[in-house]
Amino acid sequence: MRKMVLSLTSVAALALSGCNAPSSSQPAGTSAPTAAASAAGAAKIANQVSGTIALRGSSQLSPNASLVINLVDVSSTAAGAAPLASKTAPAGAFPQPFQLSFNPAEVKPDDLYVVQATLTDGDRHYVMPIQAPVLTKGNASTGVSIELMAEQTPGEKALAEFKDEQKQLGAMKVSHGTKLEKDASRGWQLFRQDGQLKFIRELVDYGDKGFTSTDYAYKNGKPWVVVQQTKPNQSAKPSAIDRAGWDDSGNLVLKQHEVGGSVQPLDEATAEKLKKEAQDILNLATGGKNK
């Protein structure tokens, strides 16, 4: 009788166990992914991106040039997120290979990822004119081709805008002035547009000490760009050309000293001297009105 009770108890336990066990099949029409399917989807995401970076045109880089490469989620929902991978190193020679490793579990299959590369060499910045999408949405993770292009430096941009302004002088209102000094004979032209002083062109004859021809450009009544040619005499070719320019905050951004076609950095002391000369001729030519 005891053996019979144990047998019945065992049978009941087995029956209850069968009722609580998960079903081995899913109802037709369901789409819930299994653990195996999820793992297979994750395995499709690479754990690194690689390719080649080249420079457009011929650029001579200094030993201080630095290259920064980031793998970034540029989806609107990821604004402000940290890069998925990042690398900073001396620029080296181009073209050059690159490789970024990351945790594939952090990749969101529906997001858009791009490689962003920037090269900095002093005031010069090199940027990508074309984006490099990778990883998701059918984009590759290997063989990524990136090209960097040089941007204008702030100084080059100021000089280009200065030259554009020079071309407009013929359409501006012009006034003249002269001053005879002990050691120099000075003459100038003022150029105004819409009531604003834009340019002063000054010629100074120092006799045996030489001659200068200087163009001063102004923004909002302040020195903006100065280009000064130094000559043995008025009819001679320039022996030197100095160019200085400042941004809206007063920072020196254009600094060139050219002699014999060779352009070197202009020292800050000379730039400050040119800035003072720009202010002095502005005061002299406008009677202190600066406009």
Side-chain angles (χ1 to χ4, degrees), residues 197-226:
L197 178 66
K198 296 291 188 177
F199 251 79
I200 297 178
R201 177 165 288 165
E202 182 188 38
L203 304 179
V204 183
D205 191 342
Y206 295 96
D208 295 340
K209 295 182 180 179
F211 186 94
T212 60
S213 173
T214 312
D215 278 357
Y216 303 96
Y218 301 85
K219 277 188 177 181
N220 302 317
K222 296 179 180 179
W224 167 45
V225 174
V226 178

Side-chain angles (χ1 to χ4, degrees), residues 46-53 96-102 115 134-135 140-146:
N47 64 355
Q48 65 180 29
V49 294
S50 60
T52 304
I53 301 176
Q96 63 172 269
F98 77 91
Q99 180 175 301
L100 293 173
S101 299
F102 53 91
V115 175
V134 293
L135 290 176
S141 59
T142 61
V144 180
S145 181
I146 291 175

